[in-house]
Amino acid sequence: MKRRTRNLLLNWRIILLTLFLVGSVATLAFKPLTFGIDISGGVALVAQTEHPVDSDTMQLVVSSLQKRLNTLGLRDITVEAQGDQIVLIKVANVSTAEEANQIKSVIESQGVFYMEFSGTVFGTGEDVEYVGIYQIKPDNSWAVPFRISKGAAEKFAELAYGKKGWPVDMFLDPPVNSLMVVPDSVYRLMNSTDFNAEAPNAPTLMERIGQAFNVTVVAYANQSADEIAKLAEGKDKIVLVDVPQDLQTRLEGMNLTVRYVPRAPGESDHALIVRVLGLYGPYSLGEGLTVGEPQQDVQITGAAPDRLTAEQEASTIYTVLKSGSLPVKLNVVGMEFISPRLGENFRTQALYAGLAALIAVLLIVYFHYRNWRIAIPVASTSLFEVVIILGFASLINWNLDLPSIAGIIAAIGTGVDQQIVITDELLSGERSTRITRRASVLRRMGRAFFVIFASAATTIAAMSFLLVYFVGTLKGFAFTTILGVLIGILITRPAYAEIAKYLLGED
Amino acid sequence: MSKPKTKAKPTAGDAVRARKRKKLGFLAEMEYKRMILYPLVVFLVALILLAVNFPTLGIDLQGGVVVTAYGIDANPDELAKTLSAQLGVDVRVESFTSVDTSGIRVYAPVGTDPTEIIKILKHDYPNAEYTHSEVQPTFGKIAQQQGIRALVFAFLAMAVVVFLFFRNLVPSMTIIFSALSDMTIAVALMGLFGIELTTATIAALLMLIGYTVDSNILLTTKLLRRKEDSVDEAYLSAVSTGFTMSTTTLGALLVLWIISTSQTIDNIAIVLIFGLLADFMNTWVLNAGVLKWYLSSPARGGSE
């Protein structure tokens, strides 16, 4: 008997199981598990790009979003691209629904950034290489230093030569290639020198956006929808600003893309224009940049009536610059918010549910065989399997979300099934005589493992499609299922077979 | 473990096993034609049920807004009326209870602002915990397509692997049909019990592929590869193993379903329970019937 025990303990399958078990426990002790948003709380958003993009563009979208959200002071953010259109954003530690909604609007407002001078776009968000911390002076003037790419700097130096005081504009998501229909007062303001900084002889804002973005502005004078549609020929969309809203319905009825912008209560013409165009500026061009020398390190300066406003203005510019530009517009198509307190409940609950399921397995297996020497090894092997899966998950920083937990459950379920197959094959040899037993154990184990490998292979084959093709949450499910099945057939099942052979006196 | 008694070999009591086999004996005695017929009838009924009453799609597959409040004990109908009146859109309210909490779920159409709903609810229930999710129809459509694609591909992959393992048309086709029938019946039962088709329940259906193939492979292996016993003997041995497997899994799932308050886990558990119940019939009656018929037909494997 002593020798049998020693043989069991020295069996490589048992040693392998022990090693993995110890390794997993150690990993879990030093590296706690990370949980998904649906368990730990937070907000998960699914954003979709306006149209499918290539993988380089997708990478750009991901890094820009990451930058922008970081700029907002959020931590624990993951941004992940899936396929050619979907971006998954998860932010942990978000405690209120309002905060969650704010993040949503940030992602959606994330637009395309342009730097324009005298009707020419000389740089986009991609040309912003570095943004320094903004400074606020005692006189409430502010400055945001940043560095632009060499190409943009050269282009700018050429454009700006000798044009001191001319307006430099920045735009976040301007209505590129559109027809703007605006009230007469707005039209006149856009066509005046009001947006010209300190250069009355520079082109007006209307001329600049016309040249840079192909935006045509018309004054609203009771034109019919048909007339407006005619003007908009060749344009991507029509922007209706503070004009009768029934125009929108009629134009949309003609299958045109229309954006309707009503005037906010008490909003001035100036503020309305700035809002519609996504305009930051105009900033007056300092003398140092007008000598034809390319300069990569530049800064935007401004002045505000009080310190708070200065701070707001500077931080807005800082954020806009820092976020870089998104090459394509994003829409949030799905979001889920779980409050952290609830998340904690879920976690303890998942733990209890798991333990209870394990105890149920123990009792049912006992009930079937009326033998603790079968029930305890079956249940504890399942427990070991969970520990090893979790150890692995923490090792590779896998985010454990509800679908992942479901995957673990699936793996455990098939694990128990397979252990029962092994047990029954071993027990079915009872009736055979001692002489044939040794040979038949091998054969029966072979049969058991044929069943096990066949079912493992089908599960893995079925799940690997999920892992590769699916976007969204089912990836976690597929991953843990496959991981569990692999650990099962490679580590725990062979070990269980040895233990069962030992306990059932069949070795 | 150190001193096991040499004499009383630790095995399942023969009496227990004999009793179990006796209980399951009726299955072995059933005629194979009926064994094939009954499950096919059930499959057809499931198909008809699906045609008239397909499960509704969850908001993650068709778009919409859902706000869940935990720690609320309210009349769902009244709450729905109040909310609909204040929001100006029709909402549906469901209440749920579980071991340690109770709560409500508010379902609202796409475009409703979930924070508005929470604001209204907070007025009456300031201490509840709120979660919300919203899905646009466009994404719902993507998820739908992917769900279908995942199911189809997973099913095909399973079929290929089964073929590779058995390299035998009739047994392989039976296994594949069993899995199909399991899934069909599970979905039909979902429709009957008002369980929504969501990404989570699609995951459960995928899991079902794994589970159902397990028992079918076991049965087929035992019947086709086991040469030392008679077909009936092999069948009984497989059925008793399969019975143990299924009840263990069912028990664990039932416990999971009772204890968890997470809708995801609950739905996955219940769909698996449906599928495993269907699988019990499809493996041990249908698949067994086909195999018995196949093995007894003289042209094939011979009678014993």
Side-chain angles (χ1 to χ4, degrees):
Chain A
M1 275 311 138
K2 275 260 172 69
R3 192 175 49 83
R4 283 189 70 218
T5 313
R6 202 179 57 220
N7 279 352
L8 175 74
L9 292 177
L10 288 180
N11 188 299
W12 64 268
R13 298 175 185 90
I14 306 292
I15 293 173
L16 195 68
L17 173 69
T18 317
L19 282 179
F20 268 88
L21 211 53
V22 171
S24 296
V25 171
T27 312
L28 286 170
F30 288 112
K31 249 178 105 188
L33 285 165
T34 46
F35 289 96
I37 299 299
D38 50 0
I39 296 180
S40 67
V43 61
L45 299 121
V46 186
Q48 189 183 9
T49 58
E50 222 169 12
H51 48 79
V53 297
D54 59 35
S55 61
D56 284 351
T57 316
M58 200 49 145
Q59 223 34 60
L60 215 61
V61 170
V62 168
S63 59
S64 299
L65 268 184
Q66 186 101 45
K67 242 194 267 175
R68 168 125 202 205
L69 291 170
N70 280 329
T71 315
L72 282 181
L74 294 164
R75 283 179 304 132
D76 292 328
I77 305 161
T78 56
V79 182
E80 186 192 327
Q82 292 195 335
D84 57 0
Q85 253 192 305
I86 299 292
V87 184
L88 214 64
I89 302 120
K90 290 176 185 162
V91 188
N93 301 320
V94 174
S95 43
T96 65
E98 285 77 17
E99 212 179 314
N101 259 23
Q102 224 165 25
I103 293 168
K104 177 187 168 193
S105 66
V106 165
I107 291 164
E108 282 190 315
S109 71
Q110 168 81 329
V112 190
F113 179 70
Y114 296 96
M115 295 178 278
E116 172 268 344
F117 182 81
S118 187
T120 306
V121 175
F122 65 88
T124 64
E126 282 171 64
D127 293 303
V128 179
E129 288 182 347
Y130 163 84
V131 187
I133 299 297
Y134 56 82
Q135 296 127 31
I136 309 221
K137 293 201 183 107
D139 63 348
N140 296 327
S141 69
W142 52 266
V144 183
F146 65 106
R147 184 180 306 141
I148 56 177
S149 71
K150 209 161 169 234
E154 278 164 4
K155 206 163 170 187
F156 185 60
E158 198 179 307
L159 287 168
Y161 183 70
K163 292 176 177 161
K164 178 179 178 293
W166 277 41
V168 183
D169 312 298
M170 308 208 172
F171 296 89
L172 191 61
D173 205 16
V176 176
N177 194 25
S178 65
L179 175 80
M180 275 175 67
V181 184
V182 301
D184 195 45
S185 61
V186 172
Y187 182 87
R188 273 186 280 131
L189 188 66
M190 285 176 89
N191 209 12
S192 74
T193 55
D194 198 63
F195 286 93
N196 277 21
E198 288 146 36
N201 51 340
T204 62
L205 178 65
M206 196 181 289
E207 288 167 325
R208 301 200 298 269
I209 59 173
Q211 219 182 80
F213 303 118
N214 194 21
V215 175
T216 310
V217 188
V218 294
Y220 178 65
N222 295 319
Q223 292 101 326
S224 69
D226 287 321
E227 284 171 301
I228 291 173
K230 205 165 189 182
L231 288 170
E233 253 170 51
K235 302 275 189 187
D236 288 342
K237 59 176 169 258
I238 301 169
V239 184
L240 300 174
V241 184
D242 192 28
V243 295
Q245 197 169 1
D246 59 325
L247 269 179
Q248 181 191 12
T249 13
R250 260 182 277 154
L251 287 165
E252 273 173 352
M254 299 176 197
N255 250 340
L256 295 164
T257 311
V258 184
R259 180 175 140 207
Y260 183 78
V261 187
R263 191 190 290 264
E267 194 173 30
S268 70
D269 282 345
H270 188 102
L272 186 60
I273 293 166
V274 165
R275 184 160 68 91
V276 171
L277 294 177
L279 173 65
Y280 295 86
Y283 303 102
S284 169
L285 183 58
E287 192 168 13
L289 290 166
T290 61
V291 293
E293 285 286 318
Q295 288 186 36
Q296 285 182 260
D297 288 298
V298 291
Q299 61 175 8
I300 295 174
T301 54
D306 55 74
R307 194 177 167 84
L308 193 68
T309 321
E311 192 121 358
Q312 273 172 0
E313 283 177 6
S315 78
T316 310
I317 287 297
Y318 174 77
T319 310
V320 166
L321 285 172
K322 185 113 184 168
S323 67
S325 100
L326 269 193
V328 63
K329 191 151 170 50
L330 283 176
N331 289 313
V332 172
V333 289
M335 82 182 281
E336 191 179 9
F337 166 69
I338 306 273
S339 83
R341 213 175 85 196
L342 251 166
E344 208 162 293
N345 282 347
F346 282 160
R347 215 172 337 171
T348 44
Q349 229 178 59
L351 191 69
Y352 289 150
L355 283 177
L358 204 65
I359 291 169
V361 166
L362 180 76
L363 292 178
I364 296 168
V365 172
Y366 172 73
F367 179 77
H368 272 289
Y369 296 101
R370 302 294 157 119
N371 191 341
W372 289 115
R373 307 189 68 142
I374 297 173
I376 292 174
V378 167
S380 41
T381 307
S382 296
L383 181 66
F384 297 160
E385 220 165 288
V386 179
V387 172
I388 297 176
I389 295 175
L390 292 180
F392 230 94
S394 89
L395 192 67
I396 61 164
N397 283 324
W398 186 264
N399 241 320
L400 219 59
D401 51 7
L402 280 174
S404 299
I405 288 179
I408 295 177
I409 296 168
I412 299 312
T414 47
V416 172
D417 282 2
Q418 295 173 355
Q419 288 168 36
I420 290 170
V421 173
I422 295 175
T423 312
D424 274 11
E425 283 289 351
L426 282 173
L427 287 176
S428 73
E430 268 170 49
R431 281 163 298 121
S432 45
T433 60
R434 273 206 168 271
I435 301 148
T436 58
R437 185 172 291 152
R438 280 188 68 85
S440 86
V441 163
L442 282 179
R443 186 143 35 98
R444 276 179 275 123
M445 277 299 100
R447 199 158 48 206
F449 273 92
F450 177 82
V451 173
I452 289 167
F453 282 131
S455 57
T458 46
T459 308
I460 291 172
M463 288 302 159
S464 39
F465 278 104
L466 259 189
L467 198 59
V468 178
Y469 275 113
F470 230 82
V471 304
T473 50
L474 285 188
K475 265 197 159 86
F477 169 69
F479 177 78
T480 44
T481 310
I482 293 176
L483 184 67
V485 169
L486 282 177
I487 289 172
I489 56 169
L490 296 178
I491 302 163
T492 46
R493 224 74 69 229
Y496 173 78
E498 292 306 314
I499 294 171
K501 272 195 248 172
Y502 170 82
L503 288 177
L504 299 176
E506 291 257 6
D507 54 351
Chain B
M1 189 180 298
S2 56
K3 275 185 272 168
K5 278 183 231 145
T6 344
K7 198 80 195 294
K9 204 150 57 68
T11 57
D14 275 336
V16 178
R17 281 171 4 107
R19 225 179 306 139
K20 196 201 283 175
R21 289 194 172 200
K22 207 167 161 194
K23 254 187 272 174
L24 297 167
F26 77 97
L27 285 171
E29 282 153 22
M30 210 191 278
E31 204 195 345
Y32 62 73
K33 275 183 196 153
R34 277 203 226 154
M35 292 175 87
I36 298 173
L37 184 68
Y38 293 157
L40 284 181
V41 172
V42 177
F43 176 67
L44 279 180
V45 171
L47 279 184
I48 295 169
L49 263 178
L50 278 185
V52 291
N53 186 23
F54 197 80
T56 40
L57 298 180
I59 67 147
D60 58 344
L61 293 187
Q62 66 168 353
V65 171
V66 56
V67 172
T68 311
Y70 291 80
I72 281 188
D73 213 356
N75 180 337
D77 293 335
E78 273 173 30
L79 204 55
K81 249 178 239 164
T82 333
L83 281 169
S84 297
Q86 291 201 43
L87 291 164
V89 289
D90 274 335
V91 301
R92 191 161 57 82
V93 179
E94 254 174 29
S95 65
F96 63 89
T97 49
S98 75
V99 184
D100 55 348
T101 60
S102 61
I104 50 129
R105 286 192 190 93
V106 181
Y107 296 88
V110 180
T112 317
D113 185 355
T115 49
E116 279 295 311
I117 300 173
I118 294 177
K119 215 180 277 167
I120 297 170
L121 288 174
K122 263 194 178 154
H123 187 259
D124 288 336
Y125 309 97
N127 293 322
E129 278 293 311
Y130 296 93
T131 73
H132 73 261
S133 57
E134 70 182 294
V135 175
Q136 298 298 316
T138 47
F139 185 60
K141 205 152 264 159
I142 294 178
Q144 258 181 58
Q145 282 166 358
Q146 286 198 325
I148 292 167
R149 205 165 59 173
L151 279 175
V152 170
F153 280 157
F155 195 84
L156 289 178
M158 178 272 289
V160 168
V161 174
V162 166
F163 260 112
L164 286 178
F165 266 92
F166 288 106
R167 291 196 205 105
N168 201 336
L169 193 69
V170 175
S172 310
M173 286 305 283
T174 321
I175 294 179
I176 292 160
F177 178 78
S178 291
L180 181 71
S181 174
D182 289 345
M183 283 158 74
T184 312
I185 294 171
V187 180
L189 286 176
M190 284 169 67
L192 211 58
F193 287 92
I195 291 161
E196 292 180 338
L197 207 59
T198 58
T199 4
T201 46
I202 288 179
L205 291 172
L206 287 165
M207 254 189 205
L208 218 49
I209 293 179
Y211 277 132
T212 64
V213 169
D214 261 14
S215 54
N216 279 294
I217 290 177
L218 170 76
L219 174 71
T220 312
T221 311
K222 285 222 169 181
L223 287 193
L224 292 187
R225 300 190 120 209
R226 185 173 188 136
K227 302 290 189 221
E228 67 252 37
D229 289 321
S230 70
V231 171
D232 277 355
E233 192 50 46
Y235 172 69
L236 266 184
S237 135
V239 117
S240 107
T241 303
F243 190 75
T244 314
M245 279 159 61
S246 301
T247 42
T248 312
T249 316
L250 279 173
L253 287 172
L254 211 60
V255 166
L256 206 61
W257 182 68
I258 293 169
I259 292 200
S260 141
T261 41
S262 141
Q263 208 188 4
T264 316
I265 299 279
D266 273 2
N267 283 352
I268 288 178
I270 199 78
V271 170
L272 283 177
I273 289 173
F274 289 159
L276 284 177
L277 289 176
D279 184 51
F280 204 78
M281 175 190 75
N282 280 324
T283 306
W284 308 114
V285 184
L286 173 75
N287 195 358
V290 173
L291 286 174
K292 275 186 177 183
W293 168 62
Y294 172 75
L295 287 171
S296 65
S297 74
R300 310 281 172 166
S303 65
E304 211 88 306

